[in-house]
Amino acid sequence: MDWGRSIAVAGAYAACYELTRNVSFSHWMLPAGLRLACLLLVPRRFWPALAVGEFLPIAEMSALHASMLGVMWAVLNSFPPIVMCMPAVTWVQRRASLLRADGRINMGMILAATLLCSLSVTAGNIVAYLTVKPGDGSPPPDLTAQIVLAWLLGCYLGALALTPTILALRERLIDAGHKMNWRDAMTSPLMRDMVLITVPCLVGAMVAASLTEGAWLQVARIAMAVPVLVLTLRHGWHGTAITGLLASAAMASTSFELQDPSMIRAQVVIAFVLSTALLFGVRVARRLAASHVPAIQGAGSRTG
């Protein structure tokens, strides 16, 4: 084993895990996206290093809360969720590859891995939660369906937000021959539409959400899916991925209550929209690529 590279992988993953955890919400867990992206892209010989990298920050956090929630909870909660996801990703990879025969992304495979990993992590959370023993002697909190659903949707949306974005940026970098610079990225049509369409729509929806409540708050949250659909039609799944990251973050920021029931209902809608848009976006990307080739050939024939 290459110990030097393994230590570097563990350290880098631990740092990225801390970063994503610190910008996450209870309804939007970005570490789930980082976890899945690494399992899909990092060679399996480095998977033990990923497990170590995830164990370190989780064990530290669990130890700090052991006196409040119990030693058994701290021990079980320290178990790296990425280890529970490894069998699920392995099972999916044996049945489908990340790329199809034509070189295009296999979005069905990614969504299947996302769901299975979310279920695995939620199962681990349930086991740890059932061992909670409050340090003040009070009875342990009840495990409700609302809590379980919040965990499941939080992991699923966190993975949908970050994993496709990482894969989209990776694909765009490969297509550019690893020569893409910031100027190219900032002047691209996708970035232009992000600035002119996505950002204004999401800011408007967030302002509306802050000024309303009840049914209108739900309308404002669900309206955040509109720019996702628009950029899917214009840029394929790349537009879905990057706009979905911003839209799900904007929606999560409108809740300041743990396991908010109204947020859970909005999450179900946005999860369905993102999943469907990612699948449809692959077809749009294929159509856009096919139309781009004749345009280039036509330009070449006019200048030849």
Side-chain angles (χ1 to χ4, degrees), residues 155-169:
C155 287
Y156 188 78
L157 274 179
L160 278 190
L162 192 57
T163 302
T165 300
I166 293 174
L167 295 175
L169 294 175

Side-chain angles (χ1 to χ4, degrees), residues 95-117:
R95 287 157 178 78
S97 61
L98 182 61
L99 299 177
R100 296 185 181 276
D102 59 0
R104 296 294 171 182
I105 199 78
N106 188 346
M107 195 58 67
M109 177 265 198
I110 295 171
L111 292 178
T114 299
L115 178 59
L116 289 176
C117 287

Side-chain angles (χ1 to χ4, degrees), residues 23-28 157 201-225 245-267 270:
V23 297
S24 294
F25 302 87
S26 61
H27 297 279
W28 187 63
L157 274 179
C201 287
L202 293 181
V203 170
M206 290 174 67
V207 171
S210 68
L211 299 175
T212 58
E213 58 183 16
W216 285 111
L217 172 60
Q218 289 296 82
V219 171
R221 287 170 172 168
I222 295 173
M224 295 176 183
L245 172 62
L246 298 179
S248 56
M251 188 186 69
S253 69
T254 64
S255 176
F256 300 96
E257 178 184 346
L258 292 176
Q259 286 88 43
D260 181 358
S262 64
M263 175 60 78
I264 291 176
R265 290 191 290 271
Q267 280 182 292
I270 199 73

Side-chain angles (χ1 to χ4, degrees), residues 138-174:
S138 60
D142 293 331
L143 180 64
T144 64
Q146 182 176 312
I147 294 175
V148 174
L149 194 56
W151 285 337
L152 179 61
L153 288 171
C155 287
Y156 188 78
L157 274 179
L160 278 190
L162 192 57
T163 302
T165 300
I166 293 174
L167 295 175
L169 294 175
R170 173 178 176 268
E171 185 172 285
R172 293 177 81 87
L173 184 62
I174 292 175

Side-chain angles (χ1 to χ4, degrees), residues 23-49:
V23 297
S24 294
F25 302 87
S26 61
H27 297 279
W28 187 63
M29 298 304 298
L30 280 182
L34 174 68
R35 185 180 299 129
L36 179 57
C38 288
L39 290 177
L40 292 175
L41 298 177
V42 174
R44 290 190 185 181
R45 66 180 182 275
F46 293 118
W47 281 14

Side-chain angles (χ1 to χ4, degrees), residues 262-278:
S262 64
M263 175 60 78
I264 291 176
R265 290 191 290 271
Q267 280 182 292
V268 172
V269 175
I270 199 73
F272 174 78
V273 170
L274 284 179
S275 301
T276 306
L278 284 168

